[in-house]
PDB file of all heavy atoms in Angstrom:
ATOM      1  N   ALA G1265     -17.368 -12.838  18.106  1.00 98.00           N
ATOM      2  CA  ALA G1265     -18.751 -12.441  18.393  1.00 98.00           C
ATOM      3  C   ALA G1265     -19.043 -12.598  19.883  1.00 98.00           C
ATOM      4  O   ALA G1265     -19.714 -11.749  20.488  1.00 98.00           O
ATOM      5  CB  ALA G1265     -19.711 -13.293  17.566  1.00 98.00           C
ATOM      6  N   ALA G1266     -18.501 -13.667  20.478  1.00 98.00           N
ATOM      7  CA  ALA G1266     -18.738 -13.895  21.920  1.00 98.00           C
ATOM      8  C   ALA G1266     -18.153 -12.749  22.740  1.00 98.00           C
ATOM      9  O   ALA G1266     -18.764 -12.295  23.722  1.00 98.00           O
ATOM     10  CB  ALA G1266     -18.137 -15.238  22.338  1.00 98.00           C
ATOM     11  N   LEU G1267     -16.975 -12.256  22.336  1.00 98.00           N
ATOM     12  CA  LEU G1267     -16.372 -11.119  23.052  1.00 98.00           C
ATOM     13  C   LEU G1267     -17.276  -9.893  22.952  1.00 98.00           C
ATOM     14  O   LEU G1267     -17.468  -9.155  23.927  1.00 98.00           O
ATOM     15  CB  LEU G1267     -15.003 -10.780  22.447  1.00 98.00           C
ATOM     16  CG  LEU G1267     -13.858 -11.763  22.687  1.00 98.00           C
ATOM     17  CD1 LEU G1267     -12.615 -11.319  21.914  1.00 98.00           C
ATOM     18  CD2 LEU G1267     -13.536 -11.858  24.181  1.00 98.00           C
ATOM     19  N   MET G1268     -17.844  -9.686  21.764  1.00 98.00           N
ATOM     20  CA  MET G1268     -18.712  -8.514  21.557  1.00 98.00           C
ATOM     21  C   MET G1268     -19.982  -8.643  22.397  1.00 98.00           C
ATOM     22  O   MET G1268     -20.440  -7.668  23.009  1.00 98.00           O
ATOM     23  CB  MET G1268     -19.072  -8.392  20.074  1.00 98.00           C
ATOM     24  CG  MET G1268     -17.851  -8.112  19.204  1.00 98.00           C
ATOM     25  SD  MET G1268     -18.175  -8.386  17.449  1.00 98.00           S
ATOM     26  CE  MET G1268     -19.016  -6.861  17.017  1.00 98.00           C
ATOM     27  N   ILE G1269     -20.531  -9.851  22.432  1.00 98.00           N
ATOM     28  CA  ILE G1269     -21.771 -10.056  23.196  1.00 98.00           C
ATOM     29  C   ILE G1269     -21.498  -9.883  24.695  1.00 98.00           C
ATOM     30  O   ILE G1269     -22.294  -9.259  25.418  1.00 98.00           O
ATOM     31  CB  ILE G1269     -22.372 -11.443  22.872  1.00 98.00           C
ATOM     32  CG1 ILE G1269     -22.827 -11.466  21.398  1.00 98.00           C
ATOM     33  CG2 ILE G1269     -23.545 -11.772  23.797  1.00 98.00           C
ATOM     34  CD1 ILE G1269     -23.064 -12.857  20.825  1.00 98.00           C
ATOM     35  N   ALA G1270     -20.352 -10.382  25.142  1.00 98.00           N
ATOM     36  CA  ALA G1270     -20.003 -10.218  26.569  1.00 98.00           C
ATOM     37  C   ALA G1270     -19.876  -8.732  26.901  1.00 98.00           C
ATOM     38  O   ALA G1270     -20.303  -8.272  27.974  1.00 98.00           O
ATOM     39  CB  ALA G1270     -18.693 -10.961  26.871  1.00 98.00           C
ATOM     40  N   HIS G1271     -19.302  -7.963  25.975  1.00 98.00           N
ATOM     41  CA  HIS G1271     -19.163  -6.524  26.198  1.00 98.00           C
ATOM     42  C   HIS G1271     -20.545  -5.859  26.265  1.00 98.00           C
ATOM     43  O   HIS G1271     -20.807  -5.017  27.134  1.00 98.00           O
ATOM     44  CB  HIS G1271     -18.325  -5.915  25.065  1.00 98.00           C
ATOM     45  CG  HIS G1271     -18.263  -4.434  25.108  1.00 98.00           C
ATOM     46  ND1 HIS G1271     -17.415  -3.751  25.957  1.00 98.00           N
ATOM     47  CD2 HIS G1271     -18.970  -3.475  24.430  1.00 98.00           C
ATOM     48  CE1 HIS G1271     -17.602  -2.448  25.793  1.00 98.00           C
ATOM     49  NE2 HIS G1271     -18.533  -2.252  24.878  1.00 98.00           N
ATOM     50  N   ILE G1272     -21.418  -6.272  25.350  1.00 98.00           N
ATOM     51  CA  ILE G1272     -22.781  -5.712  25.332  1.00 98.00           C
ATOM     52  C   ILE G1272     -23.496  -6.065  26.640  1.00 98.00           C
ATOM     53  O   ILE G1272     -24.179  -5.211  27.239  1.00 98.00           O
ATOM     54  CB  ILE G1272     -23.540  -6.230  24.079  1.00 98.00           C
ATOM     55  CG1 ILE G1272     -22.987  -5.530  22.822  1.00 98.00           C
ATOM     56  CG2 ILE G1272     -25.046  -6.015  24.209  1.00 98.00           C
ATOM     57  CD1 ILE G1272     -23.459  -6.107  21.500  1.00 98.00           C
ATOM     58  N   ASP G1273     -23.312  -7.299  27.109  1.00 98.00           N
ATOM     59  CA  ASP G1273     -23.902  -7.713  28.402  1.00 98.00           C
ATOM     60  C   ASP G1273     -23.463  -6.763  29.512  1.00 98.00           C
ATOM     61  O   ASP G1273     -24.273  -6.320  30.340  1.00 98.00           O
ATOM     62  CB  ASP G1273     -23.440  -9.136  28.779  1.00 98.00           C
ATOM     63  CG  ASP G1273     -24.059 -10.210  27.898  1.00 98.00           C
ATOM     64  OD1 ASP G1273     -25.070  -9.918  27.234  1.00 98.00           O
ATOM     65  OD2 ASP G1273     -23.515 -11.335  27.882  1.00 98.00           O
ATOM     66  N   LYS G1274     -22.160  -6.490  29.516  1.00 98.00           N
ATOM     67  CA  LYS G1274     -21.591  -5.641  30.574  1.00 98.00           C
ATOM     68  C   LYS G1274     -22.215  -4.241  30.523  1.00 98.00           C
ATOM     69  O   LYS G1274     -22.587  -3.672  31.555  1.00 98.00           O
ATOM     70  CB  LYS G1274     -20.068  -5.564  30.343  1.00 98.00           C
ATOM     71  CG  LYS G1274     -19.265  -5.074  31.519  1.00 98.00           C
ATOM     72  CD  LYS G1274     -17.769  -5.201  31.239  1.00 98.00           C
ATOM     73  CE  LYS G1274     -17.284  -4.067  30.375  1.00 98.00           C
ATOM     74  NZ  LYS G1274     -15.890  -4.146  29.965  1.00 98.00           N
ATOM     75  N   LYS G1275     -22.364  -3.705  29.317  1.00 98.00           N
ATOM     76  CA  LYS G1275     -22.914  -2.351  29.180  1.00 98.00           C
ATOM     77  C   LYS G1275     -24.400  -2.319  29.552  1.00 98.00           C
ATOM     78  O   LYS G1275     -24.884  -1.346  30.139  1.00 98.00           O
ATOM     79  CB  LYS G1275     -22.704  -1.829  27.755  1.00 98.00           C
ATOM     80  CG  LYS G1275     -21.241  -1.618  27.394  1.00 98.00           C
ATOM     81  CD  LYS G1275     -20.617  -0.510  28.240  1.00 98.00           C
ATOM     82  CE  LYS G1275     -19.113  -0.442  28.057  1.00 98.00           C
ATOM     83  NZ  LYS G1275     -18.470   0.605  28.877  1.00 98.00           N
ATOM     84  N   ARG G1276     -25.104  -3.383  29.197  1.00 98.00           N
ATOM     85  CA  ARG G1276     -26.530  -3.450  29.573  1.00 98.00           C
ATOM     86  C   ARG G1276     -26.661  -3.448  31.099  1.00 98.00           C
ATOM     87  O   ARG G1276     -27.511  -2.745  31.663  1.00 98.00           O
ATOM     88  CB  ARG G1276     -27.191  -4.712  28.995  1.00 98.00           C
ATOM     89  CG  ARG G1276     -27.377  -4.695  27.485  1.00 98.00           C
ATOM     90  CD  ARG G1276     -28.194  -5.910  27.030  1.00 98.00           C
ATOM     91  NE  ARG G1276     -29.556  -5.808  27.509  1.00 98.00           N
ATOM     92  CZ  ARG G1276     -30.557  -5.233  26.846  1.00 98.00           C
ATOM     93  NH1 ARG G1276     -30.333  -4.754  25.642  1.00 98.00           N
ATOM     94  NH2 ARG G1276     -31.753  -5.155  27.370  1.00 98.00           N
ATOM     95  N   ALA G1277     -25.813  -4.262  31.736  1.00 98.00           N
ATOM     96  CA  ALA G1277     -25.882  -4.347  33.205  1.00 98.00           C
ATOM     97  C   ALA G1277     -25.599  -2.980  33.828  1.00 98.00           C
ATOM     98  O   ALA G1277     -26.294  -2.547  34.756  1.00 98.00           O
ATOM     99  CB  ALA G1277     -24.883  -5.396  33.702  1.00 98.00           C
ATOM    100  N   ALA G1278     -24.603  -2.274  33.280  1.00 97.00           N
ATOM    101  CA  ALA G1278     -24.251  -0.959  33.840  1.00 97.00           C
ATOM    102  C   ALA G1278     -25.387   0.042  33.660  1.00 97.00           C
ATOM    103  O   ALA G1278     -25.587   0.932  34.493  1.00 97.00           O
ATOM    104  CB  ALA G1278     -22.970  -0.449  33.181  1.00 97.00           C
TER     105      ALA G1278
END
Side-chain angles (χ1 to χ4, degrees):
L1267 289 175
M1268 295 165 80
I1269 294 163
H1271 173 80
I1272 287 170
D1273 289 343
K1274 197 173 80 184
K1275 294 295 171 181
R1276 289 187 68 91

